[in-house]
Amino acid sequence: MTPPHRTRLTFHGPLSEARADALVQRLTRHRPTTVLDIGCGSGELMLRVLATAPEATGTGIDLDSDDLARGRKAAADRGLASRARFLQESASGTTRGPADLVLCVGSSQALGDRLPEALGELRRLVTGHGRVLLGEGFWQRAPTPDELSRMWPDAAATDHPDLATLIGLAIDAGFRPEWTETASLDEWEQFESGYLADTEVWLAEYPDDPLAAQTRERADRHRARWLTYRGVLGLAYLTLVPVAAR
């Protein structure tokens, strides 16, 4: 029996309903007509933008066929299928822009190995009077060597900047930060608990299933990692405005 997975998550990241609503209202204030979602997953945030901006069309790109299928179904269920495309393709060097609104939440690595490179791509992909929503990790404080050893494989202090450096990199890439906000501890805990909840319940109900041992090891490893970066790794939501060309 295959354990269920992620059925309790609306967003694949630490994002509350209240913050999502505020983001959508802010991002649609300038009346975007084209939306590009980099690493869209199931495209939940893009679909909410389209529902709020009835003149807009959206394109989500990702490599995960299951997530894209969920996005297409959600678009159809909400009457948005004619305005939302979900494409299975790489974002590297994409020609899908420029768009009035570019969403890149937890997906900058799809645009380049280094953050300055990814920010340069985001500047290329947004129209002159558009907006970018960048959801990007940052260190809330410098991690210790012991903490790094218990995070993801080969975790290093150079994996993320601090928040001030992150905003500085965005400015260097040709943006001004219209709005800066960061995920709360509660949002992180809601996300990480929701990510594991289905698996944990399944393990409690079927402890002797043939898949239980490997599933238990994977869940325990994930939990240990996020409890290590809890309060150390942050996620910034930056609403970025492109600086006019001179």
Side-chain angles (χ1 to χ4, degrees):
M1 179 185 299
T2 303
H5 186 47
R6 296 193 301 183
T7 68
R8 306 197 199 187
L9 291 179
T10 302
F11 302 100
H12 191 52
L15 179 61
S16 66
E17 288 287 341
R19 191 184 305 279
D21 289 345
L23 284 170
V24 168
Q25 292 304 312
R26 185 180 314 119
L27 296 171
T28 56
R29 191 169 295 149
H30 72 295
R31 299 179 181 274
T33 60
T34 51
V35 182
L36 175 62
D37 193 348
I38 303 294
C40 63
S42 60
E44 179 65 27
L45 194 60
M46 181 181 77
L47 293 177
R48 294 188 183 203
V49 167
L50 297 182
T52 305
E55 297 180 356
T57 59
T59 300
I61 56 179
D62 204 293
L63 296 176
D64 190 307
S65 59
D66 291 339
D67 279 345
L68 292 168
R70 282 191 286 271
R72 294 185 189 105
K73 182 179 185 305
D77 291 345
R78 300 179 200 185
L80 297 171
S82 65
R83 295 198 286 127
R85 295 188 301 168
F86 289 87
L87 306 177
Q88 187 174 14
E89 61 186 40
S90 170
S92 178
T94 182
T95 59
R96 299 297 176 182
D100 296 331
L101 173 59
V102 180
L103 308 174
C104 184
V105 179
S107 301
S108 65
Q109 69 279 359
L111 294 172
D113 293 333
R114 298 175 61 250
L115 191 51
E117 179 185 356
L119 284 162
E121 280 292 277
L122 290 171
R123 182 63 185 85
R124 179 181 69 84
L125 291 169
V126 67
T127 56
H129 298 284
R131 297 290 186 275
V132 169
L133 176 67
L134 174 65
E136 186 65 31
F138 70 96
W139 294 126
Q140 293 182 287
R141 63 166 174 79
T144 67
D146 176 64
E147 287 169 336
L148 288 168
S149 72
R150 292 184 284 116
M151 292 184 189
W152 49 90
D154 301 318
T158 54
D159 287 348
H160 298 286
D162 61 24
L163 184 58
T165 301
L166 172 60
I167 294 173
L169 289 171
I171 292 172
D172 290 344
F175 293 104
R176 300 301 299 181
E178 178 182 6
W179 210 267
T180 299
E181 53 196 306
T182 63
S184 68
L185 185 59
D186 180 66
E187 285 175 302
W188 273 107
E189 290 177 342
Q190 290 290 322
F191 166 61
E192 293 290 5
S193 294
Y195 185 86
L196 288 177
D198 290 328
T199 300
E200 298 290 12
V201 171
W202 183 86
L203 285 168
E205 293 178 347
Y206 304 101
D208 298 320
D209 187 274
L211 294 176
Q214 66 187 59
T215 303
R216 187 179 302 111
E217 191 276 334
R218 186 168 60 250
D220 290 347
R221 182 174 64 247
H222 181 95
R223 187 189 322 100
R225 287 174 178 170
W226 87 259
L227 289 175
T228 298
Y229 64 68
R230 178 181 180 273
V232 181
L233 177 65
L235 187 78
Y237 293 102
L238 304 182
T239 302
L240 302 174
V241 185
V243 175
R246 296 178 180 179

